[in-house]
Amino acid sequence: MNTFINKQRFERIWLIGYYDFKVRYYDNYLGLFWALINPIFRASAYWFVFTFIFGSKIENFALYIFSGLIIWQFFSEVSKSGMTIFIRKMYL
């Protein structure tokens, strides 16, 4: 019984994420492209500033920045939309 309830919860979470992604990027390939390329542009800007202007000598600095930005943008997006998603998707 408990695994059935957990499976239903996972399916609801998956449906909420799927429909939110579908509504956000429906027939909008430029928006999807920007969502994929935005972290790369930000990481390259930070890398340039900290490497050439501030003179940082950290090994694999671009990898650290990129992984940090991915985690931060995920956290930011989830916290912005997570508060209202259950109210907006009440029918699921």
Side-chain angles (χ1 to χ4, degrees):
M1 180 90 174
N2 194 16
T3 58
F4 179 70
I5 293 172
N6 288 337
K7 186 177 179 184
Q8 282 183 333
R9 287 181 186 166
F10 178 74
E11 287 176 356
R12 286 184 187 140
I13 292 170
W14 178 258
L15 282 174
I16 287 171
Y18 174 74
Y19 287 124
D20 188 46
F21 186 81
K22 191 174 181 180
V23 166
R24 180 181 294 176
Y25 299 117
Y26 180 73
D27 285 341
N28 190 356
Y29 295 110
L30 186 61
L32 181 60
F33 178 70
W34 180 249
L36 296 174
I37 203 79
N38 186 20
I40 295 171
F41 282 151
R42 283 187 181 204
S44 62
Y46 285 132
W47 175 79
F48 178 78
V49 167
F50 282 106
T51 302
F52 292 112
I53 296 175
F54 292 135
S56 176
K57 302 292 183 204
I58 299 174
E59 228 178 279
N60 297 327
F61 189 64
L63 182 64
Y64 292 137
I65 288 176
F66 186 71
S67 61
L69 279 174
I70 292 293
I71 293 169
W72 177 253
Q73 285 181 341
F74 173 74
F75 174 74
S76 174
E77 185 70 27
V78 166
S79 62
K80 278 193 290 187
S81 65
M83 296 301 223
T84 60
I85 194 142
F86 292 116
I87 295 170
R88 287 186 288 144
K89 308 288 187 203
M90 196 175 350
Y91 58 89
L92 290 177

